[in-house]
Amino acid sequence: MGALRLTPLLLLVLLAAAAGRAAGAGPRPSEVAVGALFTYDSVIGRAARLAIELAVDDVNADRTVLAATRLSLVAQDTNCSGFLGTIEALELMEKNVVAVIGPQSSGIGHVISHVVNELHVPLLSFAATDPTLSASEYPYFIRTTMSDYFQMNAVASIVDYYQWKEVTAIFADDDYGRGGVSALGDALATRRAKISHKAAIPPNSNTEVINDVLFRANMMESRVMVVHANPDTGMRIFSVANKLQMMASGYVWIVTDWLAAVLDSSASRDLKGMSHIQGLVVLRQHTPESDAKDKFTTKWNNAARSRGINSGLNSYGFYAYDSVWAVARGIDQFLDNGQQVNFSADPRLHRSKDSTLQLSTLKVFDGGEQMLQQLLLTNFTGLTGLVQFGPDRNLVRPAYDILNVGGSGSRLIGYWSNYSGLSVAAPETLYQKPSNASSVAQRLYNVVWPGDSTTTPKGWVFPNNGQPLRVGVPIKASFKELVAGGRGSDNVTGYCIDIFNAAIRLLPYPVPCQFITIGDGKKNPNYDDIISMVADNSLDAAVGDFAIVRNRTKMAEFTQPYIESGLVIVAPVQRAPSSAWAFMKPFTLEMWCVTCALFIFVGIVVWILEHRTNEEFRGSPRRQIITIIWFSFSTMFFSHRQNTGSALGRFVLIIWLFVVLIINSSYTASLTSILTVQQLSTGITGIDNLISSGLPIGYQAGKFTKNYLIEELSIPESRLVALNTIKEYADALRRGSGDGGVAAIVDEMPYVEIFLSYHCDFRIVGQEFTKEGWGFAFQRDSPLAADLSTAILQLSESGQLQRIHDEWFTRPSCSTDDTEVGATSLGLRSFWGLFLVCALICLLALLVFFIRVCWQYSRYSSSEAAGEPGAADAVGPTAAAANAVERQRRPSRFGSFRELVEFVDKKEAEVKRAMKRRPSEKDNQAAGSSDTQPVS
């Protein structure tokens, strides 16, 4: 093979080895016949015919393959006809070929595969790309080119890269076209896209038929056209499309590899209608650059000129060349393994007396199974890259070039490979790196689209088929501010309708709408059923007060919410009756008890701290008790007359006055609330309380609320009561749970606001416990949903959304402040932290006080003992008596608790004077005794 460079020494070694294998395997045939099936006069056939002939010559010239065996080519022209192709294939089988290269057509491939299966002749097709030609159904069929399964995945990757959701498939209505489009639909589905319209062009159609097919396709909303046709007839599609003005700005044309074959086979100056294909995105089978490829291209061009062939070489020629080499290598291994080329008659094929068909001439290749296995083990590097088959008998490294047609030719904008998806780097450079097919890694160069536009087309327009958008509108028995109307699209009004119309007017294209009313206006329609109608294509859209909830997003595509919503609870309220003991309600009984105890405790603490230093806290026991009580409770009004003198007393009083301030403020606020606010008549304060109450609950019929209460909150359906109108809401709440009504109603906030604007004797209880929004519903993946979302955002940013809201919601609403409903008594739980801090500070002050008192008492006792006459001071007979009295008095002074209490009760000033006086008395006594002693 031209791609291999062999040294003379290596060549001798290989020849010797080949000769040894031949000697061991028996005599090799001098010639082996190989068949070829394709259409000579076709874009692919002209390139493939010369490539196959050159490949046979190269094989026969290379002695490292087949050694002394010559490869003989038997070619048959299928004439672009399934019938003639079948006849030619049968004639080819009569010539005892060991393998067939071809056919070019997928349709003929389906027929011939049945023949080769019976005759055990491997079929290697370089151009039949129909993915339905599978190895499981046709075991002797081997595809030496890339399957359209991979090509359609490349197309789907391009569609996904530009975020288009719908395409129109224009295809040849034959096995090749239908198989490719089926693979395209599967590939798009994995990327949440789809084929919105299939435009099938019958084989051999004239221009008028193509015109009708494209005209219908142009009526659809998708502007992404995927063309999968035959090279010899496909160019007429673009000529007709140009006349229909379908090659203008806003259109996208993605064309499979057949057009690349046409472009490569035709010089730009010879290609007619080049102006009709400007801006197209075209796929081409990727063949890596190599010296062998360049040499073969030069050889092919030289041979084409010498033979007067005017067309050029395309990628199918490379695959045809490699197919011949794959067959040659397979035959070589087949013969090296000792196999013989033998054919035998099939007993099932015999000549009938009444038939002139020579069926007995069709022989079965005895070594066909072994030959097939050798071919499946093929592994070499050819002009197209690595030639190796995977378990599914497809080439292991499928890849495509992505071209953009412009001017007189095309330019490369990227690649697609099954290994790494879209990239601007050649696939062979990526095989050495870890696979990265994530959406972030996908990249293509900029494209010049039809109409010489560099802006990526939106990919769709509103369908130009004269059919308006079918918009379903729910007509309910109440809440007419939101949606109202009778029969006919002109009678539909309301807040939701105005929002929709305003958003439609912002779209850059006209969207005619036909409003279809759903409901009789007496009972609410089921909103989930309306969304199902959109999903079933009975409606194109649903406009109204549709909450965007989980189960609906599975059926339809919603726009950006145009108003926030959420479920709330509405309950009846009533004015609390006056009571003679209302002043006791601000605090609970526990709170009153703890507060009173703390007042007395603080009074005692202040008395203890002030008793020794402050005359106002001294006196008879009765007076002191009155002082404690009076001081404690007078601080409640900051009217205490007693002044605190000690530092500890002042510190405790400051903290206590802060506590009293908070208690007073809380009491005043709570009492005001109790005397002025309304009270819940049912005792329901929130969703948890409502669930556990077991009372009947009202909900709006037709809305998602019922399913939410049952499925999410596990409320029995028997507790739920369906209501339709505002009047039914009010009647049910007024009757209450005991008279056939409901204890509360659960509904979305916009409805509740409207309801409360009519009835002020009800209130919202608790907080919003869900968060949703209202949006417009469209069919899944509808591009209108995205465009309407953008329009809604524009309305919001311009303030028009709020203005529309204010126009429809003009009634003054009742106050819905939660603080006005259900005022309750304050308990200890709200104040225990404050009380604890105050108590700890009081205890700390007492601890410091008693430490100081004990220290003073210790000094006082010591000074008293030192001030009395001791035994040393006595003279004469009184000395012994004085010592005895001293021993008896000292323990009782320090051990008596009564003396300690008497010490604490003393004024601190007296204690200090006594402690100062006793040292001076001692000094005087000492001086007197020294004067009375006799002189010796």
Side-chain angles (χ1 to χ4, degrees), residues 801-875:
L801 201 64
Q802 185 62 42
R803 286 193 293 271
I804 296 175
H805 179 277
D806 296 339
E807 289 175 4
W808 282 98
F809 298 95
T810 56
R811 287 181 59 89
S813 60
C814 305
S815 174
T816 57
D817 189 357
D818 290 340
T819 61
E820 296 185 1
V821 178
T824 57
S825 300
L826 298 175
L828 183 61
R829 184 176 181 181
S830 303
F831 297 91
W832 72 267
L834 184 65
F835 288 173
L836 179 62
V837 171
C838 180
L840 290 176
I841 290 175
C842 290
L843 293 176
L844 179 62
L846 288 176
L847 179 63
V848 173
F849 172 78
F850 282 116
I851 291 174
R852 184 169 177 271
V853 167
C854 291
W855 175 77
Q856 286 183 343
Y857 180 67
S858 174
R859 290 188 60 193
Y860 176 80
S861 300
S862 300
S863 62
E864 186 180 32
E868 295 179 357
D873 299 332
V875 290

Side-chain angles (χ1 to χ4, degrees), residues 42-111:
S42 65
V43 172
I44 295 177
R46 285 188 289 270
R49 182 179 184 180
L50 183 53
I52 291 173
E53 292 174 356
L54 293 176
V56 172
D57 293 342
D58 290 344
V59 169
N60 290 332
D62 190 343
R63 308 316 301 167
T64 62
V65 180
L66 290 179
T69 301
R70 181 176 178 274
L71 197 65
S72 173
L73 178 67
V74 182
Q76 298 288 134
D77 186 4
T78 58
N79 292 301
C80 284
S81 169
F83 174 73
L84 294 178
T86 303
I87 300 300
E88 295 293 335
L90 293 175
E91 291 181 358
L92 186 64
M93 295 301 165
E94 292 179 346
K95 300 175 182 178
N96 294 338
V97 294
V98 297
V100 176
I101 299 171
Q104 171 186 331
S105 166
S106 296
I108 298 175
H110 280 279
V111 178

Side-chain angles (χ1 to χ4, degrees), residues 760-793:
C760 292
D761 49 343
F762 307 103
R763 285 290 181 272
I764 295 175
V765 178
Q767 302 295 322
E768 227 175 10
F769 56 92
T770 65
K771 289 291 183 182
E772 298 95 23
W774 289 355
F776 306 130
F778 292 85
Q779 294 179 9
R780 292 286 292 175
D781 301 321
S782 171
L784 260 178
D787 286 357
L788 259 293
S789 294
T790 302
I792 290 172
L793 290 176

